[in-house]
Amino acid sequence: MTAEELKGQLGGVITFPVTIFKDDLSLDIEGYRQNVAEMLRFPLCAVVAAGGTGEMYSMTPEEHFEVIKATIEEVGGKTRVLAGVGFNMPLAVEMAKKAEEAGADGILCFPPYYPNADREGLLHYYKAIGEATNLGLFVYSRDWATFSATEVWRLCEAIPNLIAWKEGQADLRAYQRIMERCGDRLHWIGGIGDDMVPGYYSIGIRTYTSSIAVLSPRLSLQLHERASMLDQASLARLMSNYVIPLYALRARRKGYEVSVMKKAMEILGKPAGPVRPPLPEVRSEEVKEIEALMERFKPVL
């Protein structure tokens, strides 16, 4: 599949599974495969292996490749597989090459470890990853890695296989400027969370990355469908009943965007396991709140 072919197949819900660890914090690949297989009962646009929710930054390169390989095997061509890469330029290049060899369809590129990098150096970082593979490249703008419309256009000019932009800043004003400058050169993805679906879809986005898909792909697809149809009343109900309460829990502590999801999965009987440090485990007094919320989720499971 060429980068442009992949770009043409994007649209809908992209999921990024959590990586399952055993009590001793080693990989639980069988539990991971079980979760991926369950999600694939639904028509998801793509699966991101070893992304941020997948605790990519806690893995060794060998573990990263094992998760990528297991995802590709479990998906079996049913949808597209994107591999998360990052850390630094040499590691990201190596991770991208191995992901392509394993059969991944695209590369989701995280910012490098070095915060607030110079713009010229950052361009060379992404360019080196793009040149290392023939796969379509997705840039994930998150945390300190913010870009102006002009800077995104420079990346487009420098990296022919850059095909998509994953917005992770929740800054719709800046995103609109970027979209206006670059037009259909890139595929535009709402990338910060399910709680931003109303905002993203109001400016024309029709693809988003869903955390909730690890719990309920059905709800993720309902959010996409209602927002695409501009069915504001139905969308507001889904947001109020499910999304906003869950994201309020996730926002309590740094790292809870993963920890809360794993605890919710455990409550629902899915393989989950602990998080790896430095992410914190959910406080014991908060477990009952998550249990009550998962009870509320029953109609959309």
Side-chain angles (χ1 to χ4, degrees):
M1 180 181 298
T2 67
E4 281 302 309
E5 286 172 340
L6 174 60
K7 180 182 173 185
Q9 293 186 13
L10 298 173
V13 175
I14 298 174
T15 184
F16 36 106
V18 302
T19 300
I20 313 303
F21 301 120
K22 300 176 183 177
D23 289 342
D24 64 359
L25 299 183
S26 62
L27 288 179
D28 180 357
I29 289 295
E30 289 310 309
Y32 177 81
R33 283 177 175 270
Q34 181 179 326
N35 287 339
V36 171
E38 184 176 336
M39 284 190 284
L40 289 173
R41 296 189 295 109
F42 296 85
L44 299 168
C45 168
V47 175
V48 177
T53 299
E55 299 180 69
M56 179 185 79
Y57 285 110
S58 77
M59 294 183 199
T60 66
E62 293 75 21
E63 289 174 328
H64 177 270
F65 180 72
E66 190 174 353
V67 170
I68 300 298
K69 187 170 180 289
T71 309
I72 293 165
E73 290 173 354
E74 197 63 42
V75 168
K78 297 182 184 74
T79 189
R80 309 282 69 83
V81 175
L82 312 178
V85 308
F87 296 104
N88 56 51
M89 191 187 77
L91 272 177
V93 163
E94 184 65 21
M95 293 161 82
K97 287 179 177 178
K98 287 191 172 182
E100 182 173 19
E101 291 170 7
D105 300 293
I107 301 297
L108 177 62
C109 194
F110 285 68
Y113 82 98
Y114 186 77
N116 304 310
D118 177 81
R119 296 290 107 173
E120 196 68 30
L122 202 54
L123 184 149
H124 287 298
Y125 166 79
Y126 290 114
K127 189 170 185 290
I129 300 169
E131 289 175 345
T133 173
N134 293 314
L135 300 180
L137 193 72
F138 297 55
V139 167
Y140 186 7
S141 170
R142 59 173 286 169
D143 301 322
W144 60 268
T146 60
F147 299 83
S148 69
T150 299
E151 288 168 341
V152 175
W153 184 249
R154 285 192 68 198
L155 289 171
C156 290
E157 290 183 316
I159 310 170
N161 55 331
L162 173 58
I163 61 168
W165 195 262
K166 183 178 186 290
E167 198 278 345
Q169 307 291 346
D171 188 341
L172 296 182
R173 178 181 292 168
Y175 204 13
Q176 283 183 303
R177 288 195 292 264
I178 293 169
M179 292 168 65
E180 178 66 25
R181 175 67 179 87
C182 300
D184 62 3
R185 170 63 180 80
L186 298 176
H187 186 85
W188 306 108
I189 299 170
I192 201 167
D194 305 78
D195 58 334
M196 281 293 294
V197 165
Y200 282 137
Y201 280 61
S202 73
I203 63 170
I205 304 298
R206 291 297 180 268
T207 308
Y208 89 99
T209 55
S210 173
S211 295
I212 284 177
V214 303
L215 304 174
S216 172
R218 178 176 286 108
L219 175 56
S220 302
L221 290 165
Q222 287 176 355
L223 291 168
H224 165 69
E225 291 162 0
R226 303 301 190 274
S228 296
M229 295 185 296
L230 304 180
D231 183 349
Q232 301 300 338
S234 294
L235 181 60
R237 285 193 294 272
L238 294 174
M239 296 295 295
S240 179
N241 289 340
Y242 309 112
V243 180
I244 293 173
L246 177 61
Y247 271 77
L249 281 168
R250 287 163 47 107
R252 288 186 182 173
R253 296 172 76 188
K254 182 68 174 175
Y256 263 26
E257 62 274 13
V258 180
S259 306
V260 167
M261 302 309 286
K262 281 194 166 183
K263 181 56 66 175
M265 291 171 67
E266 178 186 306
I267 290 166
L268 294 175
K270 301 174 185 287
V275 293
R276 277 181 172 174
L279 300 189
E281 293 292 345
V282 171
R283 298 183 183 101
S284 58
E285 63 268 24
E286 293 169 317
V287 173
K288 287 193 179 300
E289 292 182 72
I290 302 172
E291 288 174 341
L293 185 55
M294 291 304 97
E295 185 69 23
R296 188 192 297 185
F297 263 62
K298 280 186 176 179
V300 293
L301 295 177

